[in-house]
Amino acid sequence: MADRGPNRAFLGVAVESYQDGRFERLEGARAQMKALAERLREFGFDPTCVEDPTIDELRNALATWRNNTRQLRPDAVLVAWSSHAHTLGADLQLLAADSDPRSSDTVYHAGALAEHACAAADQVLILLDTCHAGAGVVDALRHTLTRWELRSLPPGRRAWLGILAACQAGEQAAGQGLLIDRVTSLLSNGPAGEYRAHWAVRTRGVSGIDLIQAAYKEWPHDCGQRLVDAQTGDAVAVFRNPRWRPTDRPELVEHLVRAAQGADRIDEGWFFSGRREVLREVVAWLDDPRPGLFTVTGPAGCGKSAVVGRVASLSHQAWRADILRHAPLDPDDPDPGAGRVDATLHLRGLDLEATVTALAHDLGLARPANAAELVAEVSRLETHPVLVVDGLDEAAVTQAGRLRQDLLEPLGRVAKVLLATRDRAYQARAGADPGPDGSPLVPDDAHVIDLAEAPHTEADIAEYLCRRLAAGGLPADRVNEVAPEVARLAASDGGGFLYARIVAGQVVRRQLDVSGDGWTAGLARSIAGAFAADLDAGDHLVVDGLPAASAAHDLLRALAWAQGRGLPAGEVWETLATALGGSGVTYGPDEVDAALGRYGRYVVEDSEDGRAVYRLYHREFVRHLQQSQAGADGRPPAQVVAATIVGLVRRQTGDGRHPDRADPYLRRYLSTHAVEAAQPGVALLRGLAQANPDAYLPNLAASLNNLAVHLAEVGRRDQALAPITEAVDIYRRLAQANPDAYLPDLAMSLNNLALGLAGVGRRDQALAPITEAVDIYRRLAQAN
């Protein structure tokens, strides 16, 4: 996907004029091929166009191109051919300007073209925009396809061959090629008229498979031509996605769906209301030049993220302009001012290392080695930066305590940290007891606001509902009746703003009829109930042409188990949804796109590894979907997820032999998914480590360490000793082979072993591992 540098090659052959009068002129074919070449040049392709060649000129041009590509050594090749063609048995004969189909010496054979292309690169796409192409494409290229399937590559390389032809037997191509035109349009603008995950704005590149699938969807049914394709191998992204735009800000998929449909987005930030007392307190804290930690806490749905998000949005120049354009501030609305926040981060699924890296990036600092180094770098800045951090309670398994103790609290002494979290993330630190009244233990110098105790909550929710319902077109008399009643339920039953938001959406979409008396009977009484009702409303998603009642639940349930920034579409999301459904229904890209189009209001699109990833936007949806149904075969869902993840890794890597071929998401979160399934998940990972110890022993050690931490946190300290002891043994072996890489992990696991031994009363035995850990940390500090 390089934007410059000829590391990809394009060969285009366009034969517009023919010496044989039996063949009509293909008007515009040369200009069309040039347009495709210029589009590809922008993506780093080195283009070669051959126009109206005789058969000898063609052979010479292809020989020159073949020699050039040997020197260029591209990693991807696109070959496009636009001409008349002729079939002789299973042979597809491509015509040059002077070709005579009665003489085989004057035609060019599709099989030879494919052989030239396949010899040039690992990723190859061939476009045949000719009459009769479909009739011969499979038979003529069967030998090439078979050879491609049997080839072997060294580690790190992936091969794919795709052939897409524009006509089938008996069909004639006339004028400029429809296939070339459609591919050029896709590479210039992306698919038209609907949102598609593979072409999302956060996905930098698309593969040959993505291009073929999009061409099928864009193909006009009344054109008199049909597509046929043949593929083999493992496709990777080689074309730049024209919709891609660099952005670090996650976005609701609903906004992107509306944009793809040509409609204006509707942003919940426009309807923010109330919470003025809380925001005044936050703004006053921001005005204080001293560093500190300000925590906004409270139960699910109370609007914690909305409060800190309001501060971040009004600070960001573009987001602020968007808010003020649609909903200008009232004179009494607290305003932090533009440019106030230096970094904004949501911690969902993140561990300490990922959080440190992300904050350093947003602050423009070099990547630090650890949390302490980041804190030291921040302390040297001229002013105390303002950091907005959301979702401490949603951090990766076992990570909330480490994030709080090792990063957020130390940062609060050198920066201003505005943190949103449920109170459960502020439980007692390791080895300490909660306060005598059972209240959460928070730093003594932290400023804490509990939104459950904030005044005017019901009035604030009613104000929000009035704005949202009026913007959705509900008549004023109905707004005045519906808003107070829904606000009363939201405030009294604990659903808060989140409940109100779901119900307001149902009213605006006419899923909930509020036009007459008795309308309250249709109201769910909880966040989970309102969410479930919304998924059940309307038409079911269609799978293989038939309505599938569970499809929406299955696809969103897969997202409930997403780690980090979210699940990628393509294989991981679909495979998890299929496994969690357990009904034999297989989900693919079409079902993912349909779910995002229908339920994008519940899904956030983010970016990781240069592509779009997806997650549910609120923890309550995660909790509901994780608990809503038992796993397949009676197994807990976490075990189904872990088994599916490990199974995907085995399938993509040849049973672990080629670990670099695994999807980046699988490589990054394999250990985390194993820990979520507890001992059965770690057992699955142990089998993978046995298949390839060099690649997967580090994953196994990390999982054992994190499992031990988790068991200790839930009070199962005796059971935690076996996994942490095994983790120490593995890290010791790894550190002996590679000290630079694994000594820090060994020290960490020794520290956890000492804590575990002390936690079960074996304090004398804890001295040896903690002493060794201190010694390692001292050596590491001296080396750095």
Side-chain angles (χ1 to χ4, degrees), residues 266-420:
I266 299 175
D267 196 322
E268 284 292 317
W270 303 344
F271 310 115
F272 184 94
S273 60
R275 298 302 191 199
R276 292 182 176 86
E277 292 86 352
V278 174
L279 285 169
R280 286 193 192 98
E281 201 167 336
V282 172
V283 171
W285 174 78
L286 289 172
D287 290 338
D288 186 334
R290 294 173 297 176
L293 179 63
F294 191 121
T295 303
V296 180
T297 187
C302 67
K304 301 178 292 296
S305 295
V307 167
V308 300
R310 179 73 165 182
V311 174
S313 296
L314 287 175
S315 171
H316 191 282
Q317 197 69 44
W319 306 346
R320 178 185 180 88
D322 184 56
I323 290 174
L324 298 184
R325 183 167 55 252
H326 292 91
L329 297 177
D330 292 333
D332 60 341
D333 282 332
D335 182 7
R340 201 63 177 277
V341 175
D342 297 286
T344 303
L345 183 64
H346 198 293
L347 297 178
R348 179 174 299 163
L350 298 186
D351 59 12
L352 180 61
E353 180 182 358
T355 303
V356 167
T357 300
L359 286 176
H361 174 269
D362 288 353
L363 292 171
L365 302 174
R367 182 172 180 173
N370 49 48
E373 188 173 309
L374 174 63
V375 174
E377 287 295 319
V378 171
S379 71
R380 288 191 280 269
L381 297 176
E382 293 183 3
T383 59
H384 302 306
V386 175
L387 315 178
V388 174
V389 181
D390 193 8
L392 176 60
D393 56 300
E394 300 181 46
V397 177
T398 77
Q399 293 296 302
R402 294 187 66 198
L403 283 164
R404 184 190 68 236
Q405 297 173 45
D406 297 346
L407 181 62
L408 298 178
E409 291 173 11
L411 278 175
R413 293 189 282 272
V414 297
K416 300 187 77 68
V417 182
L418 177 59
L419 172 67

Side-chain angles (χ1 to χ4, degrees), residues 553-606:
H553 290 83
D554 293 343
L555 287 158
L556 294 188
R557 282 183 75 217
L559 294 186
W561 294 95
Q563 298 295 326
R565 296 177 183 267
L567 289 180
E571 186 171 15
V572 178
W573 182 358
E574 296 90 329
T575 304
L576 270 181
T578 299
L580 286 166
S583 60
V585 176
T586 300
Y587 299 111
D590 288 346
E591 289 72 44
V592 164
D593 290 344
L596 290 171
R598 188 83 60 84
Y599 299 105
R601 56 189 171 274
Y602 296 124
V603 180
V604 170
E605 179 185 295
D606 206 338

Side-chain angles (χ1 to χ4, degrees), residues 222-299:
D222 58 352
C223 68
Q225 301 178 41
R226 287 171 290 172
L227 292 174
V228 62
D229 73 284
Q231 305 174 36
T232 185
D234 185 12
V236 299
V238 294
F239 303 103
R240 194 178 67 200
N241 176 9
R243 291 182 173 177
W244 172 68
R245 65 171 189 264
T247 177
D248 292 328
R249 186 191 186 191
E251 192 171 2
L252 270 183
V253 171
E254 182 178 51
H255 298 166
L256 303 169
V257 170
R258 292 178 63 86
Q261 296 171 344
D264 292 333
R265 70 186 181 93
I266 299 175
D267 196 322
E268 284 292 317
W270 303 344
F271 310 115
F272 184 94
S273 60
R275 298 302 191 199
R276 292 182 176 86
E277 292 86 352
V278 174
L279 285 169
R280 286 193 192 98
E281 201 167 336
V282 172
V283 171
W285 174 78
L286 289 172
D287 290 338
D288 186 334
R290 294 173 297 176
L293 179 63
F294 191 121
T295 303
V296 180
T297 187

